[in-house]
Amino acid sequence: MAEELIYAPVRTGRNLPDQIARQILDLVSSRQLRVGSRLPPLDELGELLGVSRTALREALKLLEAWGIIVVKPGIGTFIAEVAADVLAVPLKISAERSDQSIRHLHQLREAVEPPIAALAALHARPEHIAKLEEAVARMDAALNDPTAYIQADLDFHSTLADATGNNLFLLVIYPVIDLLQEARLRFVQNPGAGERAQTFHRLLLEQIKAGNAAGARAAMQAHLDQAWGELPHESDALPRAG
């Protein structure tokens, strides 16, 4: 079949599932695979890509988790409707657990989150304030529970994005912060890191409640500077931004 010609053998090496996922995403992005397109059966697709069933299954699990494909038992695997997550999907696929990807994600946070904080100060409603206060309280209670702390932190920053009234901010920032989760799990285990971050979360909350856009922007930038200093880096050669 002509559709089989769109698949290319995957290079051997590290992280085969990621390479497979990238190829399928590229095919979706280039419209060679469209919404509703059916992927070849597992054995056939593995042969076309030159990969093992194990690597292919792992790649398909990633694609399913990210909403790229939908598996219909007994029927087949299909390209899902991804338009609603068009910004999040490439971010999820392209992220690698490396110093460079961490730096790039942090640079994106620096470009987006200070304006988010400023807009949140201007547009936050009482329900947003309540959610921010709850998230801060949860982080206070989870200083010795990194997993719970990180989830509350994600909720805090997501609420700020939601408070802007612009849904595109939430669409962009949620996956960015989520992708940094592994690195942040390690940073909150640094002695005193959680407490230091809480200082900035409380300051942000105060500025949002006061409706101080400039103060919120400055507090967010200070928080990001602090967060970058806490993040683990495998190399000291990477600049923070710019």
Side-chain angles (χ1 to χ4, degrees), residues 19-165:
Q19 291 187 54
I20 297 166
R22 286 171 183 270
Q23 182 176 151
I24 292 177
L25 178 65
D26 286 342
L27 293 172
V28 173
S29 299
S30 64
R31 302 294 190 270
Q32 295 181 73
L33 284 176
R34 297 180 178 274
V35 171
S37 294
R38 181 176 179 175
L39 297 183
L42 192 67
D43 288 339
E44 182 180 344
L45 184 56
E47 184 175 346
L48 291 169
L49 297 173
V51 298
S52 68
R53 290 172 62 94
T54 299
L56 182 55
R57 284 198 188 96
E58 288 302 310
L60 294 179
K61 285 180 183 178
L62 291 173
L63 291 167
E64 185 177 18
W66 294 331
I68 301 294
I69 62 172
V70 59
V71 178
K72 299 180 179 180
I75 300 176
T77 301
F78 301 84
I79 301 301
E81 175 60 65
V82 298
D85 206 25
V86 68
L87 292 175
V89 167
L91 285 169
K92 287 181 180 294
I93 290 289
S94 64
E96 300 169 349
R97 292 177 177 86
S98 67
D99 277 347
Q100 182 176 350
S101 67
I102 290 173
R103 176 167 58 89
H104 288 171
L105 288 167
H106 187 79
Q107 286 174 342
L108 184 54
R109 289 191 70 184
E110 287 195 313
V112 176
E113 287 207 82
I116 283 177
L119 286 170
L122 297 175
H123 301 293
R125 300 190 299 271
E127 57 265 34
H128 294 125
I129 300 298
K131 288 181 180 179
L132 291 171
E133 290 176 333
E134 179 191 18
V136 169
R138 285 163 53 205
M139 283 185 277
D140 281 337
L143 290 172
N144 295 315
D145 184 347
T147 300
Y149 182 96
I150 290 299
Q151 183 57 56
D153 181 62
L154 178 58
D155 292 342
F156 180 89
H157 288 271
S158 298
T159 299
L160 286 176
D162 185 47
T164 66

